[in-house]
Every structure is written in C-alpha cells, then in structure tokens.
Amino acid sequence: MRYRLNKLLLTMIAGLFLFTFVILASTTPPAAASAGVTLTSDEQQLAGLINQARQGAGQAPLAADATLFNIARIRAQDMAYNGSYGNFSPTYGSVAGMLKSAGAKYNYMGSIQSKAYSSKSAFTSLINTSRQEILNSKYDLVGIGIVTRGMSKYIFIIFTGSSKLTTPTTPTTPTTPTTPTTPTTPTTPTTPTNPQPVSGLNADEQNMLVLVNQERAKVGLSPLQIDLNLVKLARMKAQDMIDKGYFSHTSPTYGSPFDMMRAAGVKYSYAGENLAGAPTVSSAHTNLMNSSGHRANILNQYYTKVGIGVVSGGPYGKMFVQMFIG
C-alpha cells in the first residue's frame, strides 16, 4: 500500500513538472530591451507577439531600442491626436527624417501602423497585412508606440536593421556642444540677449517666444520667426477652447489646426501645434518642455515660423496655443 502511494506521488510530481515545462516553453518571448527603455504592458505584449511570430518563422527576435521606442511613441501620439497616419506626418515629417535627427545608424528601415481595440487584435491584423515587414530577416531592432484614446489604441511600429542606433560623438544638435555651431559670444547673435519686442504680440506671447527661442538656441537651432497670421489663428483657437469648454487639437468650430491654416491660406511643408493651460507663461513652458511630443515640436529643425496665442480665461487661468510651420 505504501509502495503504491509513493509511486502515485512520484507520478503526480512528474506530471506537474511536465505541465510546468509546457507552460514555460509556450510563453511568448519578450523583446530584449536595450538600456534606458521600459516597456508598458501593451508594448511588452505586442513585442512578445512579434517575436513569437519571428521565432515560429525561424527568424531572430528583435531587440527593443530606446530611441526607436521614443520616436514610435511620438508618432502614435501624433496619430491619436492629429490623425496623422502613414510614413509622413505634417507635424514631424518622415520617419527617416526623425531617425536621422536622432542620430540613427541603420541600413534597413520600415514602419507599420494600426488602430485597434487591443494589442492582440492589432497584431492579428498586422500579421495578415504586414507579415513581410514583421518577419523581415534584415531587421534586428524594434520600437513600438501605443497610445490609448477612447476605446481605441493607436499603434506605430518602427523596425531597423544591420546596425544599432548610436549617439554620435559629435551630435548634430548637441545639448552642450564641444564645438558649438552657434558661438558662445557671437558677433551677430541669432538670439540676442535682450531681444526686441515683436510688434503685434502681447506681453505673455512675447515672453513665450523668448523662452521657445532660448530652448532652440541651447541645441544649436535657428530661432523661430513670428508669423502674425499664425498668431491670429492661435488666438482664435485659444479663445474658442475657452468659449466652448474643450481642450483638444480638433476644434468643433475650426476643425484641426491644419484645417485652420489651409482656410487662412497659410502655406507650409511641415506644421504642428502645441496646447497648454496654465496660470503663467513659465509654468506653461515648463509643462510643454517636460512632454516629449510638445518638446519635439519646439525643437523641430524643420520649423521656421511660429504663431503664439495667449488668452486669459478658462479653468487653467490662461490658454496657450503655439502653431508651427516650416
């Protein structure tokens, strides 16, 4: 009796071990992450599904890269709030251009997008429509951005291959350049220490323009010039948000900022918009610079002009609108 009991116990332990092994063996492989990238649960799930599909097709898994994830998240946010689908964004330009600005080094690159109710349903759709990209043997890095808005998830995925992204020793837009493109003491400074007030701006708008151009000067970018047509549109948008009680890039009165620009006859190759609600210029500027998407607009090398509208009122004290074109 004791022998049978011991034999039964050993059989149960062996069965439990086999069951555990089967579960572990079937777990979706996650994307190996490079230093500095933390994946959300949605991003982790989608990266795992992608690598599971690659593993099933005999391809090496993709490693998650911090730079690619940052750009993919910016583009996913652009999809969700500006409706910018496809490889080219009116706000940020092409994916290749964004990678170049970030110092990306690669021989192969691709991107895919999706709008779905979940990461899993997005993958099901993408593996049918973009299977060749997902299973491409030339790719070794991936970046995934997922932004939830309402009931939908907006998903942007970037692949690169052949060489990993690196931060160049002499970056094109350095924070503290060893050999600055804009001299420390220029004979003709692009951003003067005491800039002259721009005619047609109120005090808050003038102060915000100074702060924006100071940020651009820090990374070696040219200052933005004020466009009074954009100033007019920015003020209209700020007032409309106060009057109608909303806070969104899409106005129930004027549509998107790009609709407003087109209706006003503004010509551009690149365009973007930043919104902020705050009691002061400094707090609004700090909030914008602390947001990756808004910061990217302020420091976008393709922009040359800006319109700033600051209107008092609303739940935040003041409403701030920045419209950029290039």
Side-chain angles (χ1 to χ4, degrees):
M1 184 70 177
R2 181 178 295 176
Y3 171 76
R4 289 182 179 177
L5 185 61
N6 288 341
K7 186 176 180 181
L8 178 61
L9 184 60
L10 286 171
T11 303
M12 290 176 65
I13 292 172
L16 181 61
F17 173 79
L18 179 61
F19 178 69
T20 305
F21 176 78
V22 170
I23 290 177
L24 291 174
S26 63
T27 301
T28 301
S34 66
V37 58
T38 302
L39 278 61
T40 66
S41 57
D42 280 337
E43 292 166 351
Q44 181 71 41
Q45 182 185 32
L46 186 52
L49 290 169
I50 288 172
N51 276 340
Q52 188 179 46
R54 290 178 64 87
Q55 188 180 60
Q59 303 295 348
L62 300 173
D65 184 89
T67 305
L68 290 182
F69 265 80
N70 183 47
I71 294 173
R73 287 164 179 168
I74 290 172
R75 286 303 308 270
Q77 182 176 339
D78 195 35
M79 285 171 59
Y81 291 94
N82 295 330
S84 299
Y85 293 88
N87 181 59
F88 184 86
S89 158
T91 308
Y92 301 106
S94 68
V95 175
M98 294 180 76
L99 291 172
K100 183 179 179 181
S101 297
K105 304 296 181 184
Y106 59 88
N107 290 334
Y108 307 97
M109 185 274 291
S111 66
I112 55 178
Q113 309 94 44
S114 179
K115 178 183 176 184
Y117 293 112
S118 67
S119 299
K120 190 172 182 180
S121 61
F123 174 77
T124 301
S125 172
L126 289 171
I127 198 63
N128 289 324
T129 60
S130 306
R131 185 180 186 86
Q132 188 173 353
E133 283 291 283
I134 292 172
L135 303 182
N136 195 321
S137 61
K138 295 176 181 178
Y139 296 146
D140 51 32
L141 298 177
V142 68
I144 300 171
I146 302 177
V147 172
T148 303
R149 189 179 185 198
M151 299 294 291
S152 299
K153 293 184 185 294
Y154 296 80
I155 297 164
F156 201 96
I157 306 172
I158 302 173
F159 306 95
T160 64
S162 188
S163 61
K164 294 188 176 183
L165 298 183
T166 57
T167 303
T169 317
T170 308
T172 51
T173 54
T175 307
T176 310
T178 43
T179 309
T181 52
T182 304
T184 310
T185 313
T187 14
T188 310
T190 52
T191 305
T193 311
N194 297 308
Q196 294 299 311
V198 177
S199 176
L201 297 185
N202 64 38
D204 284 339
E205 293 162 350
Q206 177 67 41
N207 290 339
M208 180 160 269
L209 175 65
V210 171
L211 292 174
V212 165
N213 280 335
Q214 283 176 351
E215 298 292 350
R216 291 176 65 86
K218 288 177 186 177
V219 295
L221 294 174
S222 299
L224 296 175
Q225 302 300 313
I226 275 292
D227 185 307
L228 292 179
N229 287 330
L230 290 179
V231 171
K232 180 181 177 182
L233 296 180
R235 289 172 179 168
M236 288 167 58
K237 177 66 174 287
Q239 189 65 58
D240 191 53
M241 287 194 290
I242 293 171
D243 292 344
K244 301 290 173 62
Y246 70 94
F247 188 80
S248 170
H249 289 291
T250 302
S251 160
T253 310
Y254 305 112
S256 74
F258 315 113
D259 294 331
M260 293 184 73
M261 292 178 195
R262 283 191 290 267
V266 175
K267 306 294 183 185
Y268 61 86
S269 297
Y270 305 94
E273 179 186 69
N274 281 348
L275 307 177
T280 64
V281 173
S282 60
S283 58
H285 178 72
T286 299
N287 292 340
L288 290 171
M289 289 301 293
N290 286 338
S291 164
S292 60
H294 298 94
R295 179 187 178 89
N297 268 341
I298 290 171
L299 301 181
N300 191 315
Q301 64 177 324
Y302 298 111
Y303 294 150
T304 55
K305 296 180 180 180
V306 67
I308 298 173
V310 183
V311 179
S312 296
Y316 313 102
K318 293 182 180 180
M319 198 68 77
F320 298 80
V321 177
Q322 299 172 338
M323 290 187 172
F324 307 89
I325 60 169

